[in-house]
Amino acid sequence: MIINHYGNFMTKSNFTFIIFFFIFKFSLSAAHATGNNELHPPIKLLPPIKQWHGKSEQLIQSSQNIWQTPAEATGLIDTPNYDETMQYLKKLVDSEAMFQLRSLGKSPQGRDLWLVVASKEGISSSDKLKANNKPTLLVQAGIHSGEIDGKDAGLMLLRDISKGNKAALLNRVNLLFIPIFNVDGHERRSPFNRVNQRGPEQMGWRTTSQNLNLNRDYSKADTPEMQILLQSINQWKPDLYFDVHVTDGEDYQYDITYGYNEDHADSPQISRWLSDNLKPDVNKALAEQGHRGGPLTFGIDRSDFAKGLSGWTATPRFSNGYGDVRHLPTVLVENHSLKPYKQRVLGTYIMLEATLKLLAEKGNSLKQAIQRDRQSRPETQVLKWKKDKKHPEKMDFYGIDFEKKKDIVTGLEYIYWNGQPKLYKNLPIFWSRIADLEVNVPKAYWIPAEHLQVIERLELHGIQFTRSVEKTKLRVAQLTASSFEFGKEPFEGHMRASAKFNTENIEMILPAGTVRVSTNQALGRLAVALLDPRGDDSFFSWGFFNQMFQRTEYIESYALIPLANQMIQKDVNLAKSFHEKKLKDKDFASDQQAQMRWFYQQSDFYDQSYLKYPVLFEE
């Protein structure tokens, strides 16, 4: 035992921890005192890596170039803040006729969300951009602002288009660039924001100033930032959308990984185009410049890659899932967090440049694939997927070797990535591509006019609808929750709901002003994803209809008991149903309160809206 300076006893393990803590704290203090980048906390804590060099390093401009980007001035180990970024970008745009800069709107803290419009003609409006009939690439950086690689790669690429020898990239393609999406989170800068990531030195924050994750907000569209983005997508209509992130998790040799929903999902023609064209071109370009492109997958067991990989089918809360369901080709780029910032930025540059070249050559075929998916009208739609355990695909996976170690302080067993390359031959990938919940697509949905928030969100997404001008008599399907539950804690600002439903076909007279959403439209599958309550990212699941679970009228026993007796006397069939339920349901037979509730539910006084999903299905 050891006595500390408070006169208390300490165990040897506690003493060891204290010594470890002060050594760690001293090393951080020394790093800040000396400015030694090698002692930056994440670098000291992260697994070892081999020094990287690639041909793409030739892209880095020295201080002799007056258009050197702020990140290049640091040797691509740091990134500029919002003001420094926009100062450089505005200066670049002002000097170049091909570039226009547009504010898309304001963040909650009052910062502008900026869009660079890059075209050969120097187009400034969305109508004129669409009129030039060139394929348009939208690149979005900083949805998670600590993952800011895309911003610095985009600034370098724009500089080289304007001041270098790459203006031809815009001959047959338009480029839209959002340098920072989560602008408020970007300014919550610190070297301690993302402990699992190698650089930049100052990293932004994952969530917005409202503590919401923008890459969980595509379907529900709560945040001002997401509402601005969706309006911009509808306005500028890009043909290909890149959402640039940085990974967490396992170590492997790939520095640029990316993915999109495979062709079992909602946009099969788009998915095949991406697999047949984008993937080989991008991977080849990366390899030629010293990078390694790979698939966006996740280890089934993070402690043992040999068990295989898990392939993801994203739902509409995520960019790639949202793009899939609305037939906007969307690629989720996930640079590898354990690779140096310089390597990741340069790899992103190469990927963007290769994609612009590809669109110049094959952009028209992508437009055709988009059109085919938008014109498709399947009779069913899958709302939930599960893993295909019986039919894995195989690939050679370029991983990193590891050892299992035990921590001397806590006794915890952990994975130590040792930095040594390891090839996993014929590694299985298990894709989530088996339908777990498939629903019939109705002809249309009918939404009561009072659900203003839902109707506004549909309009925000660009989904078309009409309003009835008079009463409409219609046979519809109505869903009633038979059982339900809510999340145990808030998630992304919502108390999520889930339920099992019974369906009843009824004839109703719908009042004037009821909103009709036809599924026979380009965004029909998005409408299904948002309005069928059984989907994980429906408005119902996000809690937009939680008021249907509220009971606002009740009946006292002094009124209910005589009412029940009158009902039995007047309705022989009702009395028979009551006695049969008592015989079959022992719990019901012994619960007098349940019996009274049963009579209330059968009466004309019962709230007929309780547990009824208010959106009706026109079959």
Side-chain angles (χ1 to χ4, degrees):
M1 304 292 284
I2 301 168
I3 301 177
N4 66 17
H5 66 282
Y6 294 107
N8 298 322
F9 288 101
M10 301 174 60
T11 64
K12 289 184 178 179
S13 60
N14 286 339
F15 181 72
T16 304
F17 175 78
I18 294 297
I19 294 299
F20 173 82
F21 172 78
F22 279 109
I23 291 174
F24 173 67
K25 185 175 181 180
F26 175 78
S27 68
L28 300 191
S29 300
H32 288 290
T34 62
N36 185 349
N37 177 59
E38 292 304 314
L39 290 178
H40 182 283
I43 293 179
K44 294 300 291 183
L45 297 174
L46 297 181
I49 57 171
K50 292 185 176 180
Q51 191 174 24
W52 174 84
H53 289 292
K55 288 175 63 178
S56 60
E57 290 179 287
Q58 298 172 8
L59 296 168
I60 302 172
Q61 297 298 309
S62 71
S63 59
Q64 294 179 343
N65 186 332
I66 63 170
W67 292 103
Q68 182 190 46
T69 68
E72 286 175 315
T74 72
L76 290 183
I77 64 171
D78 204 0
T79 190
N81 65 23
Y82 176 87
D83 289 338
E84 292 165 342
T85 299
M86 296 317 305
Q87 181 180 3
Y88 177 87
L89 188 55
K90 289 177 180 179
K91 180 181 177 182
L92 181 64
V93 170
D94 288 345
S95 73
E96 177 53 67
M98 292 188 294
F99 298 164
Q100 301 289 331
L101 190 62
R102 292 288 175 268
S103 173
L104 301 177
K106 299 281 189 180
S107 73
Q109 291 183 343
R111 296 182 178 88
D112 285 285
L113 273 71
W114 292 102
L115 172 73
V116 178
V117 183
S119 66
K120 199 70 174 180
E121 301 85 356
I123 292 171
S124 59
S125 73
S126 56
D127 289 339
K128 290 182 179 179
L129 194 78
K130 287 177 282 188
N132 77 3
N133 292 319
K134 298 177 184 179
T136 298
L137 171 65
L138 168 61
V139 178
Q140 169 189 288
I143 188 171
H144 297 151
S145 288
E147 307 166 20
I148 202 63
D149 307 12
K151 179 191 75 175
D152 289 317
L155 292 180
M156 291 176 63
L157 181 59
L158 287 172
R159 183 267 319 281
D160 292 344
I161 290 173
S162 174
K163 310 304 176 186
N165 58 356
K166 298 188 177 181
L169 289 173
L170 296 181
N171 285 350
R172 298 163 61 188
V173 183
N174 307 314
L175 173 63
L176 303 174
F177 178 52
I178 299 175
I180 312 169
F181 184 21
N182 178 10
V183 288
D184 292 345
H186 187 276
E187 292 310 279
R188 188 176 169 180
R189 288 158 54 87
S190 169
F192 302 100
N193 280 353
R194 285 179 60 82
V195 70
N196 302 310
Q197 181 177 305
R198 273 193 172 88
E201 285 291 305
Q202 295 285 332
M203 304 179 196
W205 195 249
R206 182 177 183 84
T207 54
T208 68
S209 55
Q210 297 175 315
N211 200 31
L212 295 174
N213 187 334
L214 290 173
N215 202 30
R216 306 295 184 271
D217 196 36
Y218 280 85
S219 56
K220 59 185 176 66
D222 284 335
T223 62
E225 295 95 335
M226 184 56 66
Q227 293 172 7
I228 288 169
L229 176 67
L230 296 183
Q231 291 169 341
S232 301
I233 287 174
N234 290 326
Q235 177 183 355
W236 293 91
K237 298 187 184 305
D239 299 291
L240 181 58
Y241 173 29
F242 275 13
D243 179 23
V244 185
H245 291 246
V246 179
T247 67
D248 297 297
E250 304 97 340
D251 199 359
Y252 41 69
Q253 297 177 49
Y254 306 98
D255 52 359
I256 308 295
T257 68
Y258 56 96
Y260 42 85
N261 279 3
E262 298 289 317
D263 61 7
H264 59 270
D266 291 298
S267 297
Q269 301 297 327
I270 290 171
S271 180
R272 290 174 195 136
W273 189 94
L274 294 172
S275 294
D276 294 343
N277 298 282
L278 181 80
K279 186 185 294 185
D281 275 32
V282 164
N283 287 350
K284 180 182 178 183
L286 288 169
E288 288 174 349
Q289 295 293 320
H291 301 270
R292 190 186 292 277
L296 177 58
T297 57
F298 310 90
I300 291 176
D301 183 345
R302 289 191 172 188
S303 66
D304 188 0
F305 268 130
K307 293 181 180 179
L309 303 172
S310 177
W312 179 37
T313 299
T315 62
R317 76 182 64 171
F318 304 100
S319 61
N320 48 332
Y322 181 75
D324 179 50
V325 80
R326 72 169 289 155
H327 312 307
L328 167 60
T330 303
V331 179
L332 177 62
V333 182
E334 288 277 5
N335 298 337
H336 189 216
S337 61
L338 296 179
K339 301 299 184 289
Y341 189 58
K342 176 175 72 173
Q343 183 178 354
R344 302 196 319 260
V345 169
L346 295 176
T348 306
Y349 180 114
I350 298 302
M351 183 178 193
L352 299 183
E353 182 182 22
T355 302
L356 290 173
K357 292 178 180 178
L358 172 64
L359 287 176
E361 180 183 353
K362 299 181 179 179
N364 288 335
S365 64
L366 176 58
K367 287 177 176 286
Q368 293 168 7
I370 295 169
Q371 194 64 19
R372 288 195 297 271
D373 279 329
R374 288 180 177 172
Q375 293 174 346
S376 178
R377 300 290 185 269
E379 295 181 354
T380 63
Q381 184 166 330
V382 177
L383 299 180
K384 295 181 183 180
W385 300 93
K386 61 183 178 182
K387 204 174 302 298
D388 183 358
K389 297 180 179 179
K390 295 182 178 179
H391 307 96
E393 296 179 7
K394 299 291 183 70
M395 70 169 292
D396 291 346
F397 186 80
Y398 290 86
I400 295 292
D401 201 5
F402 63 88
E403 307 164 29
K404 290 185 178 180
K405 291 188 175 185
K406 181 172 286 190
D407 177 35
I408 62 171
V409 177
T410 64
L412 177 71
E413 187 174 79
Y414 67 100
I415 297 301
Y416 171 74
W417 304 99
N418 60 27
Q420 298 303 312
K422 181 175 180 179
L423 177 62
Y424 294 85
K425 297 286 291 183
N426 293 318
L427 197 66
I429 303 179
F430 300 91
W431 286 99
S432 292
R433 59 186 176 191
I434 302 296
D436 194 31
L437 174 62
E438 190 168 8
V439 300
N440 293 322
V441 176
K443 186 176 181 181
Y445 298 98
W446 289 83
I447 308 173
E450 61 267 23
H451 289 281
L452 301 176
Q453 187 180 35
V454 168
I455 296 167
E456 290 169 357
R457 297 291 164 92
L458 291 174
E459 188 172 20
L460 187 67
H461 283 289
I463 294 173
Q464 298 176 355
F465 56 81
T466 58
R467 294 179 185 267
S468 60
V469 295
E470 57 185 20
K471 292 181 180 180
T472 304
K473 187 176 182 179
L474 193 67
R475 188 164 184 83
V476 294
Q478 183 170 61
L479 276 59
T480 303
S482 58
S483 62
F484 58 91
E485 61 182 8
F486 302 100
K488 295 181 180 179
E489 58 185 26
F491 177 65
E492 293 300 319
H494 287 256
M495 291 303 295
R496 285 178 54 82
S498 61
K500 293 182 179 179
F501 294 93
N502 295 325
T503 303
E504 181 183 9
N505 293 309
I506 57 176
E507 193 170 84
M508 292 187 66
I509 296 178
L510 306 179
T514 304
V515 167
R516 182 180 186 270
V517 182
S518 171
T519 57
N520 185 23
Q521 59 175 296
L523 297 182
R525 294 182 80 76
L526 177 58
V528 174
L530 296 176
L531 293 175
D532 192 304
R534 294 161 289 193
D536 284 342
D537 279 333
S538 66
F539 289 137
F540 170 85
S541 294
W542 280 111
F544 283 65
F545 293 99
N546 282 356
Q547 61 269 36
M548 65 181 266
F549 300 106
Q550 294 178 201
R551 294 178 59 185
T552 56
E553 293 290 351
Y554 299 88
I555 187 170
E556 298 293 345
S557 58
Y558 59 75
L560 179 57
I561 290 173
L563 175 64
N565 281 276
Q566 291 178 20
M567 293 169 66
I568 286 179
Q569 293 172 8
K570 290 182 178 180
D571 191 335
V572 176
N573 290 328
L574 181 69
K576 182 180 178 182
S577 297
F578 174 68
H579 290 299
E580 287 180 350
K581 185 169 179 61
K582 287 180 67 177
L583 290 172
K584 294 178 180 179
D585 189 338
K586 293 181 180 180
D587 292 335
F588 181 76
S590 62
D591 189 340
Q592 293 175 338
Q593 292 299 320
Q595 294 172 30
M596 288 296 97
R597 285 195 299 271
W598 186 87
F599 278 108
Y600 179 40
Q601 291 169 5
Q602 317 308 313
S603 75
D604 293 334
F605 296 96
Y606 187 69
D607 181 1
Q608 297 304 315
S609 297
Y610 180 55
L611 300 182
K612 298 287 195 302
Y613 180 54
V615 178
L616 303 171
F617 293 43
E618 179 184 341
E619 304 292 349

